[in-house]
Amino acid sequence: MIRDTRADLYVLPELCFTGYAFRSKQEAMDLAESVSDSFSLNHIRELASEHKCGIIYGFAELSGEKVYNSCCFVSPDGGHYIYRKLHLYYQEKEWFSPGDKPLGLVEFRGCRIGMMICFDWIFPEVARSLALMGAHLICHPSNLVMRYCQTTMVTRCVENTVFAVTANRIGRETRGEYDFDFTGGSQILSVRGDILYDGSRDKEEIGIADINFRESEDKRINPKNDLWNDRRPEFYRVN
Amino acid sequence: MIRDTRADLYVLPELCFTGYAFRSKQEAMDLAESVSDSFSLNHIRELASEHKCGIIYGFAELSGEKVYNSCCFVSPDGGHYIYRKLHLYYQEKEWFSPGDKPLGLVEFRGCRIGMMICFDWIFPEVARSLALMGAHLICHPSNLVMRYCQTTMVTRCVENTVFAVTANRIGRETRGEYDFDFTGGSQILSVRGDILYDGSRDKEEIGIADINFRESEDKRINPKNDLWNDRRPEFYRVN
């Protein structure tokens, strides 16, 4: 029996059409796609329209002479919204330009979705900023290689009372001088950090969970603590 | 054989002389101590002097008509530095006033120490602020009852490249209408989130670890990523 995998929203990994590793910036440019003329975006649009769903996927975005490590939300009506990764990991700095657009949300069927990519997980400000803007759900296309990312995403949900989906890659990629082992373990997490879906470390899977995204609007964790009202920003340092 | 437990610095739990629960603000006031006339501070000073160590402990601090949930660092020469808990948990709001002093560090034998108390763990800005100020080590007296705190402290170390000590309480406290089960599991964590000491959930223990606090000064996690230089504060929201 094949489990029904119909969903309102699908999240795919980071750079899911090109692979993660490039020999050079030129190779990244050659494989990158401009949003105005993107074979993969057009194909994803067709899928989103046919299946009446939202789809988030990571891709190499060409814009002028720059390549960004981006992800894109596509709605069934063909609309799209792009996030450019703010924090580049390791060799990505050779291939990509750092994100240059403000963090933002996209609303889909009432759910406010924030996006971050892979290594953004280690900077608490990313999920925090998205949550303060009102995100119900953080979608997190990834090609993770460091330990503690999956654990940290539990923290990101608990501290922000948001849902999160990490779509991570499995397997190994060797290209030029680079060798990456991806940790798999995709996950869907609740606002309390419960693991609603715990993906395989080494097999391709589709994980599904039903969430009531409105739960993230209530920042109370008990009758006297509201994680938003209890904040003391006047005491926090940004730099 | 009794293991040698001599150390440069000892960290005790939150409110370690009064117990955690109070019947009323009046009871908290009656048990609280003013720093200028504190039996427990004087006693801790004697211990710190005798054993030539630093000691951090949590206590109910009386100041005028207010009571704070505070912790105090005491040095062997009798100096002290106080932190007043910024984020009060649940019923604490009936007993205590929220902290009203800026976060700060104290330096001891070259190690810059930041302090936070218990529920502060859930606000990423506390550990972040202390780390941005230059903390090598975060000391965290606690009376923890929520799950995920210990896990989150791993995140706090990883995201900030700091060491952390959580001194938590074991057992149960029943007082008036309140009933608390404390989770134990005190821990000493490295800058990479390694658990150097993993305390019992239900027994009193003294845990010791040797750390090279200078490791926290190097924010590089690989040759191309420095967690401080890679931050993009211009994109982060505080409110």
Side-chain angles (χ1 to χ4, degrees), chain A residues 10 13 30 36 63 91 97 135 141 147 154 191 195 229:
Chain A
Y10 294 85
D30 291 346
S36 60
S63 178
Q91 298 90 344
S97 297
R147 63 180 181 153
V154 172
V191 294
I195 300 177
N229 293 342

Side-chain angles (χ1 to χ4, degrees), chain B:
Chain B
M1 199 183 90
I2 296 172
R3 186 175 163 189
D4 187 353
T5 55
R6 281 176 296 184
D8 286 297
L9 176 67
Y10 294 85
V11 186
L12 305 177
E14 178 185 21
L15 294 166
C16 62
F17 304 126
T18 55
Y20 179 71
F22 304 94
R23 290 186 202 275
S24 62
K25 186 182 172 190
Q26 188 58 53
E27 187 179 64
M29 287 190 78
D30 292 346
L31 290 166
E33 296 182 282
S34 152
V35 170
S36 59
D37 175 30
S38 165
F39 175 83
S40 57
L41 175 55
N42 288 336
H43 184 59
I44 292 282
R45 275 199 180 109
E46 286 171 20
L47 288 170
S49 169
E50 180 184 344
H51 298 283
K52 299 183 176 50
C53 62
I55 301 176
I56 289 172
Y57 67 101
F59 75 113
E61 181 193 358
L62 186 66
S63 178
E65 292 298 301
K66 291 183 174 175
V67 185
Y68 298 96
N69 184 343
S70 297
C71 65
C72 184
F73 166 83
V74 180
S75 65
D77 64 9
H80 72 273
Y81 179 82
I82 285 174
Y83 164 68
R84 294 174 171 172
K85 189 176 187 176
L86 285 175
H87 305 91
L88 297 174
Y89 183 69
Y90 214 158
Q91 298 90 342
E92 293 173 32
K93 294 187 179 188
E94 300 171 20
W95 311 320
F96 299 116
S97 297
D100 52 3
K101 290 186 173 175
L103 289 160
L105 305 180
V106 62
E107 189 167 324
F108 178 56
R109 295 180 183 164
C111 179
R112 291 187 296 269
I113 299 168
M115 295 188 285
M116 58 189 232
I117 299 177
C118 201
F119 187 54
D120 286 327
W121 66 268
I122 208 168
F123 299 89
E125 294 89 351
V126 181
R128 189 58 137 195
S129 296
L130 294 170
L132 287 171
M133 296 165 79
H136 298 109
L137 168 66
I138 292 177
C139 294
H140 181 217
S142 295
N143 279 190
L144 298 165
V145 294
M146 289 175 69
R147 63 180 181 153
Y148 289 134
C149 163
Q150 284 87 344
T151 308
T152 297
M153 290 307 294
V154 173
T155 300
R156 299 289 172 251
C157 291
V158 170
E159 68 197 5
N160 293 303
T161 319
V162 291
F163 292 92
V165 176
T166 293
N168 191 26
R169 187 173 162 189
I170 57 160
R172 165 173 274 201
E173 184 172 343
T174 303
R175 186 149 185 83
E177 61 189 299
Y178 302 123
D179 209 7
F180 297 97
D181 280 304
F182 303 105
T183 58
S186 294
Q187 51 190 13
I188 305 174
L189 301 171
S190 82
V191 293
R192 295 282 176 256
D194 294 310
I195 300 177
L196 306 177
Y197 164 72
D198 182 15
S200 170
R201 273 59 184 160
D202 56 10
K203 283 195 293 291
E204 288 192 3
E205 287 182 349
I206 301 173
I208 304 277
D210 286 317
I211 64 168
N212 175 2
F213 60 81
R214 297 278 175 209
E215 288 174 16
S216 70
E217 294 175 4
D218 184 357
K219 302 299 181 187
R220 287 174 301 179
I221 58 166
N222 63 49
K224 290 182 188 284
N225 285 113
D226 177 301
L227 290 185
W228 266 201
N229 293 341
D230 288 344
R231 294 180 75 238
R232 312 285 307 277
E234 65 275 28
F235 292 100
Y236 303 156
R237 288 178 65 127
V238 180
N239 274 306

Side-chain angles (χ1 to χ4, degrees), chain A residues 102-114:
Chain A
L103 289 160
L105 305 180
V106 63
E107 188 167 325
F108 179 54
R109 295 180 183 163
C111 179
R112 291 186 297 269
I113 300 168

